[in-house]
Amino acid sequence: MLDDLGMLNDFAADEPDNDLSSRLDLTVSEPMEPGVVDAPLPNLGVSPPVVIEPMEPGVVDAPLPNLGVSPPVVIEPMEPGDAAPLPGVDPGDHGELPPGTIFPIVSPTTSGGGRGGMVISAQPLATFADPPHPRPKWNCPAGDFVTFTAGSSALTVTVYNGFVGGEANTVMPQKTVNPGDLPVKHPGCFTHWKAIVAEGGYTAVGQMDGIPFAFQ
């Protein structure tokens, strides 16, 4: 009987320690420094929070996504004089006037001639340091007209009524008058004309603002 007990004791000595401490890893982990990750966290299907650093005022770090709404347009104020001219009458910009342009100028007469103490003198463009900037006439006296007769060579003539949008306002498109032809007439309002002739000159006779005139 004692022999059996001794054998059991020997068998128990050979068996592994049944203490739970032998089957558990009781290693103590050292505490980590704040902010230090010792190993990547397992992917549990939850993204970690994204920390967005605050931007400096006025600094855009990346373009905003297109949400279908256009950003507001900032319009810088214009300096005085930068505004574009409006369409329509623009007497301040007469453009490039071609050679042969004639302006009939109404002025008081000193000799008592003319009508109502006024007279018209037709003056070529070259006589002006600053050419006139006439506005179109829409209420000129009834009976205003101008006729053109060629001299010894062909005459091409165009009649204008002021300037519109910086361009001469044509009221009689260019016409050609040959020597011996009947005079070409423009009835109605006008402010100036352009005449080109090789030689021999031409004659312009008419009435403007109710005052008769003749130019040769």
Side-chain angles (χ1 to χ4, degrees), residues 30-42:
E30 294 293 330
M32 291 184 292
E33 293 294 329
V36 177
V37 178
D38 191 46
L41 297 174

Side-chain angles (χ1 to χ4, degrees), residues 1-212:
M1 185 69 178
L2 293 173
D3 292 339
D4 292 338
L5 291 173
M7 291 177 63
L8 289 172
N9 290 334
D10 292 341
F11 179 78
D14 293 337
E15 285 295 314
D17 190 356
N18 290 327
D19 193 301
L20 288 176
S21 64
S22 64
R23 286 179 286 168
L24 295 176
D25 185 5
L26 299 179
T27 305
V28 177
S29 299
E30 294 293 330
M32 291 184 292
E33 293 294 329
V36 177
V37 178
D38 191 46
L41 297 174
N43 186 358
L44 302 179
V46 179
S47 300
V50 178
V51 178
I52 301 176
E53 295 292 333
M55 292 187 293
E56 294 293 329
V59 176
V60 178
D61 191 46
L64 297 175
N66 186 358
L67 303 179
V69 179
S70 300
V73 178
V74 179
I75 301 176
E76 294 293 333
M78 291 188 297
E79 294 293 328
D82 285 349
L86 297 175
V89 177
D90 184 12
D93 180 11
H94 53 73
E96 293 295 327
L97 296 175
T101 300
I102 302 294
F103 289 97
I105 302 299
V106 180
S107 57
T109 178
T110 58
S111 60
R115 182 176 298 176
M118 305 296 289
V119 67
I120 293 179
S121 58
Q123 300 180 19
L125 175 67
T127 61
F128 297 96
D130 182 20
H133 307 160
R135 294 179 179 271
K137 298 178 181 179
W138 307 116
N139 295 311
C140 55
D144 278 9
F145 73 97
V146 58
T147 60
F148 301 93
T149 304
S152 59
S153 62
L155 163 72
T156 58
V157 61
T158 309
V159 180
Y160 306 100
N161 182 19
F163 292 85
V164 176
E167 300 292 335
N169 178 40
T170 302
V171 291
M172 188 186 81
Q174 177 176 299
K175 294 185 178 181
T176 300
V177 188
N178 292 306
D181 289 350
L182 293 175
V184 170
K185 180 177 182 179
H186 163 70
C189 301
F190 65 97
T191 58
H192 60 292
W193 68 80
K194 178 188 69 176
I196 305 297
V197 62
E199 58 183 8
Y202 68 96
T203 301
V205 176
Q207 176 177 296
M208 188 176 76
D209 295 342
I211 303 171

